[in-house]
Amino acid sequence: MTILADDAVRERLEAAAFRRLMLHLRQRTDVQNIDLMGWSGFCRNCLGDWLHEEAEKLGLAVSKVEGRIHVYGMSQTEWKAQHQHPATQEQLDRMAESLAQNERVR
């Protein structure tokens, strides 16, 4: 039996991995959200929105804004002002394809 079969241990490990992912994305400000969306189908905004949605399922009050602040480590507006670059047409096209792929797999 793998240790991941233990629900409590798995949840602790998943939570730790998520925190590590958020830290990684905070440190890698050179990676634009549009590139994350284009290549993986999710971005920092999605992670914050997912926090909001999961909190809502548990009857907890975490707004989308609060979720995104938690992921970014600052407001989305601050992050954009400090790190976001204008999107190219290629990035926009790749993101549109990725969003369509998200719809197909859901």
Side-chain angles (χ1 to χ4, degrees), residues 93-105:
D93 293 344
R94 188 178 303 117
M95 184 181 74
E97 290 173 25
S98 184
L99 290 173
Q101 176 67 13
N102 282 355
E103 292 302 316
R104 287 192 294 273
V105 300

Side-chain angles (χ1 to χ4, degrees), residues 5-6 10 23-24 29 34-36 44 53 59 67 72-73 85:
D6 181 313
R10 188 184 68 253
L23 176 62
H24 180 76
T29 57
I34 194 158
D35 291 321
L36 288 170
R44 292 169 182 89
E53 291 166 10
Y72 282 102
H85 306 291

Side-chain angles (χ1 to χ4, degrees), residues 11-26 42-44 46-51 67 70-71:
E11 285 187 22
R12 285 178 49 209
L13 293 173
E14 290 170 347
F18 180 76
R19 288 189 296 271
R20 195 167 171 183
L21 172 62
M22 287 192 315
L23 176 62
H24 180 76
L25 290 173
R26 287 176 188 169
F42 81 98
C43 68
R44 292 169 182 89
C46 296
L47 291 173
D49 293 353
W50 295 344
L51 281 171
H70 186 68
V71 170

